[in-house]
Amino acid sequence: MLKLPKFLWLVILVLLAALGFLTNKFIIAGNTIPSKDDRTAILVTSDERIMILGEMRGFLEAIQGIVEATAEGDLETVAKLATQTGAVKPDMSPSLIGKLPIEFKTLGFATHDLFTELGKTAQGGDPVAVQKELGDLMLNCTACHAGNKFVVEGSPEAMQGN
Ligand code: HEC
């Protein structure tokens, strides 16, 4: 055991506890409250909500284009749409990243990667493989929606529960 004065051990312990608290708050737990519909309500600012929902609509539009192009046998367009969507880098400030729970971040980043993968599959030219992979990718959409919602910080919903 290292020979340090007692107060130094105390300082180290306090710092470790603070580090643990901050890691939990900003990396793992995020800024959340429970919600009446059994989902996790993530508290964000109105602008952050607008930005993320805009990205979500981009996901849906990409999927619409992918389904239509697959039905038309146009896998080149599928590859283009999927690759573009995979490459979108949402404008996430460190503060917003800190508010999102770890599962949310993991699922979100994984969804972008799956679009990139789908782009490669489409280049392979097999429409059935594209459909199968799109179905699997959309499990990320449904899983995340089943467990999460956004509530604006300081709004009546955030105060009274929602
Ligand atoms: C990491 C979590 C997560 C993933 C993955 C995810 N979403 Fe969302 N999405 C959300 C949350 C949270 C909301 C807001 C729901 C709420 O507040 O009730 C949302 C909202 C939406 C909306 C509504 C947008 C609006 O303007 O109101 C659409 C459309 C949507 N998502 C599409 C998708 C599609 C398509 C996918 C898959 C390609 C997807 N999302 C993947 C979390 C996610």
Side-chain angles (χ1 to χ4, degrees):
M1 191 78 134
L2 210 59
K3 271 217 165 23
L4 289 178
K6 267 214 181 85
F7 82 92
L8 259 187
W9 281 115
L10 198 68
V11 170
I12 291 173
L13 276 181
V14 169
L15 285 178
L16 280 178
L19 190 69
F21 173 79
L22 289 175
T23 309
N24 183 50
K25 181 147 176 46
F26 291 104
I27 298 184
I28 299 172
N31 189 18
T32 65
I33 52 172
S35 143
K36 279 186 197 149
D37 59 11
D38 287 335
R39 293 191 287 173
T40 299
I42 306 171
L43 299 174
V44 293
T45 65
S46 171
D47 285 349
E48 289 167 342
R49 179 171 176 274
I50 288 171
M51 189 279 289
I52 305 182
L53 292 184
E55 201 213 338
M56 292 294 157
R57 294 192 299 278
F59 274 159
L60 189 56
E61 281 164 27
I63 288 177
Q64 190 281 330
I66 288 169
V67 169
E68 195 165 293
T70 307
E72 288 164 357
D74 179 4
L75 294 196
E76 218 171 283
T77 298
V78 173
K80 204 176 102 203
L81 285 172
T83 309
Q84 274 171 0
T85 311
V88 169
K89 293 267 173 293
D91 180 19
M92 300 265 244
S93 66
S95 148
L96 174 57
I97 292 179
K99 292 173 190 174
L100 304 174
I102 187 96
E103 314 83 52
F104 191 97
K105 288 184 274 232
T106 313
L107 260 176
F109 290 131
T111 307
H112 281 278
D113 292 345
L114 288 175
F115 270 107
T116 306
E117 285 304 309
L118 183 65
K120 291 184 192 149
T121 302
Q123 282 163 5
D126 177 357
V128 177
V130 167
Q131 281 169 332
K132 167 86 182 72
E133 212 169 296
L134 182 62
D136 288 345
L137 179 157
M138 288 185 79
L139 287 176
N140 275 30
C141 324
T142 52
C144 193
H145 296 151
N148 298 282
K149 71 202 281 185
F150 290 119
V151 167
V152 174
E153 292 163 4
S155 67
E157 290 90 347
M159 306 298 183
Q160 296 150 18
N162 56 89

